[in-house]
Amino acid sequence: MVDFQVLEENLRATLSVFSRARQEGEIRHYPGITAICAAVPFSTFNAALLTAPATTPNELRQRIELVALYFRHRGFPWSVWLCEAWLEKRVRRQARQVLEEAGIYVLTEMPGMAAEGLRPPARALPRMEFRQVADEPTRRAFEQVMAVTFGIPYSIARQVYGQEATWEDGLTGWVGYLHGCAVTTAATRLAGGVIGLYAVGTLPAFQRQGCAEAIIRHAVTHAQASSGLERSVLQSTASGLRLYERLGYRALARYVVYASRW
């Protein structure tokens, strides 16, 4: 399996967890594309991902039209997490036009990254307490950090991260506490023979103090010890890119996330 496919398999497995957080959620598989519906009114939790190469613009268009019809029927805003490595070069040049024709527009761009192991820390990190998400208080703490750091409405964060089912399907969450206050989060998912790192967020007042690095190291080290895997993967936001590069992650693929505006 080539590198970008490992990224894709892990991402699909992680987003699929959200489809099981609520009874109304589901997954639909179509030729060359999968729709994952968390059944919440927030586009990035209702996501479509390619599952096979697209060799022509029309082939990509047909797949996008299938999931567009599905999400319109369900009545939820939606998104496409497009890994450009699936696209032939000439398709890549026309992808934005194809997706905008379907009513979804660029939300963000980010690299998919991987590391064989984390580099040693270059500075002293804060002494923190880490608690695994396993009960009501830790679920509430996790959802609150997610809501603040990623701009997710609290009601949506609760429907996704506050449900027991979210944490019973292979997603392992962590909350980092500094002086007794929940300030940072991270989650891992084992799939594709790698450790996926997700939901890394730190409250604004505690950023640039090493909290994110501390919880990343804790989450990844725990996953490595429990699974025997060394390699970890992620999709980086612009704000996290320098940290991930310092930790030893390198870019393998380019992602463009498209989202509907309703």
Side-chain angles (χ1 to χ4, degrees):
M1 184 180 291
V2 297
D3 282 336
F4 83 88
Q5 289 178 303
V6 171
L7 283 166
E8 286 283 88
E9 182 174 343
N10 196 282
L11 178 60
R12 282 195 302 271
T14 301
L15 292 175
S16 294
V17 169
F18 301 136
S19 73
R20 292 183 277 277
R22 306 182 71 240
Q23 274 193 326
E24 301 88 343
E26 65 176 359
I27 300 173
R28 288 289 183 93
H29 300 289
Y30 300 98
I33 196 166
T34 291
I36 301 168
C37 182
V40 295
F42 199 78
S43 60
T44 51
F45 291 117
N46 305 309
L49 297 92
L50 297 182
T51 56
T55 58
T56 68
N58 192 50
E59 188 176 18
L60 177 62
R61 183 176 291 107
Q62 289 174 347
R63 297 182 196 177
I64 298 301
E65 287 174 352
L66 284 172
V67 294
L69 181 63
Y70 165 75
F71 283 116
R72 283 198 296 269
H73 175 73
R74 291 298 313 270
F76 293 112
W78 59 291
S79 60
V80 172
W81 294 62
L82 182 64
C83 179
E84 291 189 337
W86 285 118
L87 308 179
E88 297 286 343
K89 287 185 179 180
R90 64 192 182 103
V91 183
R92 201 174 299 174
R93 289 193 294 268
Q94 298 184 49
R96 182 166 183 163
Q97 178 183 340
V98 169
L99 273 72
E100 287 184 351
E101 288 172 356
I104 54 175
Y105 304 87
V106 174
L107 176 66
T108 188
E109 300 179 12
M110 53 191 177
M113 310 181 79
E116 303 306 323
L118 301 184
R119 292 173 181 163
R123 58 172 174 168
L125 299 176
R127 297 182 63 181
M128 306 184 70
E129 177 190 0
F130 302 107
R131 300 178 194 169
Q132 186 173 341
V133 177
D135 55 20
E136 183 78 6
T138 49
R139 290 196 299 272
R140 292 290 171 262
F142 197 100
E143 73 188 34
Q144 288 167 9
V145 174
M146 286 289 96
V148 172
T149 56
F150 289 99
I152 304 170
Y154 280 97
S155 61
I156 304 298
R158 176 153 297 188
Q159 290 179 67
V160 175
Y161 297 109
Q163 306 304 310
E164 287 186 45
T166 299
W167 308 103
E168 295 175 345
D169 194 28
L171 189 67
T172 301
W174 295 95
V175 180
Y177 294 79
L178 190 64
H179 308 306
C181 180
V183 302
T184 188
T185 59
T188 57
R189 180 71 159 94
L190 306 179
V194 296
I195 301 162
L197 178 65
Y198 299 94
V200 177
T202 303
L203 297 179
F206 298 91
Q207 292 176 2
R208 297 183 176 84
Q209 299 178 30
C211 296
E213 180 175 349
I215 199 167
I216 288 169
R217 291 185 180 280
H218 178 84
V220 171
T221 300
H222 182 275
Q224 289 171 332
S226 63
S227 67
L229 300 173
E230 287 296 322
R231 197 180 199 201
S232 56
V233 300
L234 57 86
Q235 288 77 30
S236 175
T237 61
S239 60
L241 184 58
R242 287 188 178 180
L243 169 59
Y244 294 129
E245 289 175 337
R246 288 201 306 271
L247 288 168
Y249 288 91
R250 59 184 181 88
L252 297 179
R254 180 172 178 265
Y255 280 81
V256 184
V257 180
Y258 293 79
S260 59
R261 292 177 175 172
W262 57 276

